[in-house]
Amino acid sequence: MQIIVLGAGINGVFAAYYLAAKGHSVRVIDRCSEVGQETTFANGGLLTPSLSAPWNAPSVGLKLFKYLGKNDAPLRLRLSVLPQLTGWGIQFLKNSRESRFVESALRNTALALHSLSCLKALREKLPLDFKHHCGGVIKISRHSTASKELDKLQGAMTDLGVEQRVLSVEELLSIEPALLPIRGALKSAVFYPRDEFGDACQCAREVFAVAQRMGVEFIFDTEITNLKQDKNDIRFLEGAKGAYEADAYVIANGSYSQAIFEKLKFPSPVRPVKGYSISTPMGSWSAPPRLPVIDADHLVVVTPLGSVIRAAGTAEFAGFDNTIDFNRIAHLKHVVAGLYPKLPVHRNGGDFSAWAGLRCVSNDGVALIGQVGGGNVFTITGQGHNGWTMAAGSAQHLAEIITGGNPTLDPNHYAPNRFFRH
Ligand SMILES: Cc1cc2nc3c(=O)[nH]c(=O)nc-3n(C[C@H](O)[C@H](O)[C@H](O)COP(=O)(O)OP(=O)(O)OC[C@H]3O[C@@H](n4cnc5c(N)ncnc54)[C@H](O)[C@@H]3O)c2cc1C
């Protein structure tokens, strides 16, 4: 079958690889001039089944209200975007009731764990490096933070294979000695030994190289602005340079899938949620961190990626505005300085790059993988804050669905048609 994949982020590139591996003839279209240039570009780097709980936890409504108008809040809602969020927002809040939240979290956990096993199989088979490390992720707090919702969920996540260990400060420092300078401030630590980390953009580049060798055609610098629909099918996608036709289409263009769903006359179940990161060279630091640390007091993750330290966080409902607010960047720098006072960047003050990206969040907090409507349109999107973690498994799952294989996961759990009536 001839298949067009729209979007060359981590989802589109993995989809191209798995579809080509099934014998399909695949073209990937992207408006950027290389792969991984939007949300995949500088994310937090975590491959974390342990962070599978969706953001619409039962307390989300209260938190949004509490943070309203606060510029340094980890969760921020711009009043100007409220009109774009009304229908979606009501569903987002409705889906935060406890039973729904737990069900969604467990679906995400199953997908994330499947994804890590797909990634392991690929690492064993393909020339992939992407600064990948197993070894775990640490969560620390200067207060006691465990939320009731996550306490209840943890047992069920453990049954699925997400291990967690509460650490004493001594145990924490033996796993991550770089936290020694702040030992006096630390109150609690949890270790997720099976979590992993790596550079998503580098992974997209490496899988792109493999996919190209398998015959996948990549069409860059090409924005899709329109499509021609015929009942449930797409007939062709259209951009400034012409039309692109195939037997089937995979919509993998991140938050901008919203526009495609709306062109197909479906009310879109996804919205963009903005986040930021800074990347700074570790320079001459003699004892850099070995593992990512989630600072639970600020909801920021700080990850060592090769020779840089990356800090990522904040969730802002700001529509499609991905400009950089330097107050947010200053906040990330402040969090890094609080964790690692010895990092050289605090001395030279300036050597860092700042980035903002748009997570694509579905209103029930679960990914959309599979057929859209009843025709030749498929999607892989809406994985929210854990999209890098879920990408390989989502793409493998989609390739099974399109090819008529035997998916490991239950397709109903991620079916886009839970939102789209046809
Ligand atoms: C601050 C931040 C930190 C994060 N940290 C983590 C983390 O630690 N772990 C984790 O698992 N996930 C994390 N994520 C989420 C993760 O980065 C995303 O879920 C993932 O990168 C999404 O990949 P994608 O391929 O769907 O989208 P994208 O990478 O955005 O790719 C979509 C592609 O579609 C193209 N495109 C869009 N519209 C069009 C069009 N009309 N025509 C042509 N091309 C188009 C774009 O150019 C882009 O290349 C983070 C996200 C953010 C913002």
Side-chain angles (χ1 to χ4, degrees), residues 6-13 29-32 34-48 51 200 222-225 252-257 259-260 273-277 301 303 311-314 355-360 380-391:
L6 174 60
I10 193 68
N11 277 316
V13 171
I29 303 177
D30 200 289
R31 61 187 171 198
C32 295
E34 52 179 309
V35 300
Q37 295 302 290
E38 296 206 1
T39 319
T40 300
F41 188 69
N43 71 17
L46 302 185
L47 292 160
T48 43
L51 286 186
T222 301
E223 173 144 30
I224 295 303
T225 49
N253 62 336
S255 291
Y256 299 86
S257 56
I260 303 286
V273 181
K274 185 175 177 176
Y276 293 88
S277 75
V301 52
T303 306
T314 78
W355 171 82
L358 302 175
R359 307 170 184 93
C360 178
I380 176 171
T381 193
Q383 301 125 322
H385 64 281
N386 231 9
W388 158 223
T389 305
M390 295 174 179

Side-chain angles (χ1 to χ4, degrees), residues 176-189:
E176 185 48 275
L179 292 170
L180 193 63
I182 62 160
R183 72 178 295 165
L186 296 172
K187 284 277 186 311
S188 69

Side-chain angles (χ1 to χ4, degrees), residues 179-228:
L179 292 170
L180 193 63
I182 62 160
R183 72 178 295 165
L186 296 172
K187 284 277 186 311
S188 69
V190 182
F191 183 44
Y192 302 97
R194 294 203 191 165
D195 282 357
E196 305 174 7
F197 57 105
D199 185 328
C201 184
Q202 186 176 328
C203 183
R205 288 191 182 121
E206 291 171 1
V207 177
F208 156 71
V210 172
Q212 260 194 327
R213 287 197 291 277
M214 292 163 81
V216 174
E217 182 190 357
F218 284 81
I219 304 169
F220 290 117
D221 301 309
T222 301
E223 173 144 30
I224 295 303
T225 49
N226 209 351
L227 57 84
K228 174 83 175 162

Side-chain angles (χ1 to χ4, degrees), residues 11-313:
N11 277 316
V13 171
F14 270 132
Y17 167 80
Y18 278 112
L19 288 166
K22 292 264 182 205
H24 298 291
S25 160
V26 184
R27 279 188 293 169
V28 182
I29 303 177
D30 200 289
R31 61 187 171 198
C32 295
S33 50
E34 52 179 309
V35 300
Q37 295 302 290
E38 296 206 1
T39 319
T40 300
F41 188 69
N43 71 17
L46 302 185
L47 292 160
T48 43
S50 66
L51 286 186
S52 290
W55 278 353
N56 43 347
S59 55
V60 71
L62 270 179
K63 279 191 187 146
L64 275 170
F65 186 69
K66 178 175 134 197
Y67 293 140
L68 213 58
K70 287 194 183 158
N71 278 343
D72 61 347
L75 189 61
R76 187 178 171 203
L77 173 61
R78 276 204 210 156
L79 291 174
S80 58
V81 301
L82 265 180
Q84 299 159 34
L85 288 176
T86 38
W88 182 91
I90 290 167
Q91 291 306 318
F92 184 74
L93 293 177
K94 267 191 176 169
N95 285 323
S96 71
R97 66 179 192 278
E98 189 165 319
S99 57
R100 195 66 204 261
F101 166 75
V102 170
E103 184 183 74
S104 300
L106 296 181
R107 288 177 181 187
N108 288 344
T109 308
L111 175 57
L113 289 168
H114 173 62
S115 198
L116 259 52
S117 26
C118 290
L119 208 48
K120 181 167 186 278
L122 292 182
R123 288 199 324 274
E124 286 164 1
K125 186 170 161 192
L126 304 174
L128 300 182
D129 167 61
F130 63 91
K131 305 183 189 108
H132 172 267
H133 283 278
C134 298
V137 169
I138 296 163
K139 183 156 76 180
I140 59 110
S141 173
R142 295 149 195 87
H143 322 282
S144 194
T145 55
S147 76
K148 279 187 207 144
E149 293 118 16
L150 291 184
D151 277 353
K152 280 188 194 156
L153 187 58
Q154 190 56 50
M157 285 174 68
T158 307
D159 291 345
L160 289 180
V162 177
E163 202 183 318
Q164 77 159 21
R165 260 188 260 152
V166 175
L167 300 178
S168 67
V169 173
E170 294 317 312
E171 286 168 326
L172 168 67
L173 294 176
S174 71
I175 291 173
E176 185 48 275
L179 292 170
L180 193 63
I182 62 160
R183 72 178 295 165
L186 296 172
K187 284 277 186 311
S188 69
V190 182
F191 183 44
Y192 302 97
R194 294 203 191 165
D195 282 357
E196 305 174 7
F197 57 105
D199 185 328
C201 184
Q202 186 176 328
C203 183
R205 288 191 182 121
E206 291 171 1
V207 177
F208 156 71
V210 172
Q212 260 194 327
R213 287 197 291 277
M214 292 163 81
V216 174
E217 182 190 357
F218 284 81
I219 304 169
F220 290 117
D221 301 309
T222 301
E223 173 144 30
I224 295 303
T225 49
N226 209 351
L227 57 84
K228 174 83 175 162
Q229 189 179 2
D230 182 7
K231 296 188 184 128
N232 287 319
D233 287 340
I234 288 181
R235 289 259 317 281
F236 55 81
L237 298 177
E238 207 171 15
K241 295 179 205 161
Y244 304 87
E245 203 174 337
D247 303 315
Y249 299 81
V250 174
I251 308 305
N253 62 336
S255 291
Y256 299 86
S257 56
Q258 181 181 338
I260 303 286
F261 296 142
E262 286 168 1
K263 279 187 198 303
L264 292 169
K265 315 247 173 356
F266 291 122
S268 173
V270 297
R271 287 293 183 277
V273 181
K274 185 175 177 176
Y276 293 88
S277 75
I278 54 170
S279 302
T280 183
M282 294 205 237
S284 57
W285 196 4
S286 57
R290 298 163 42 230
L291 296 177
V293 171
I294 300 166
D295 185 328
D297 304 328
H298 297 286
L299 301 181
V300 169
V301 52
V302 183
T303 306
L305 284 173
S307 60
V308 304
I309 278 277
R310 178 165 305 154

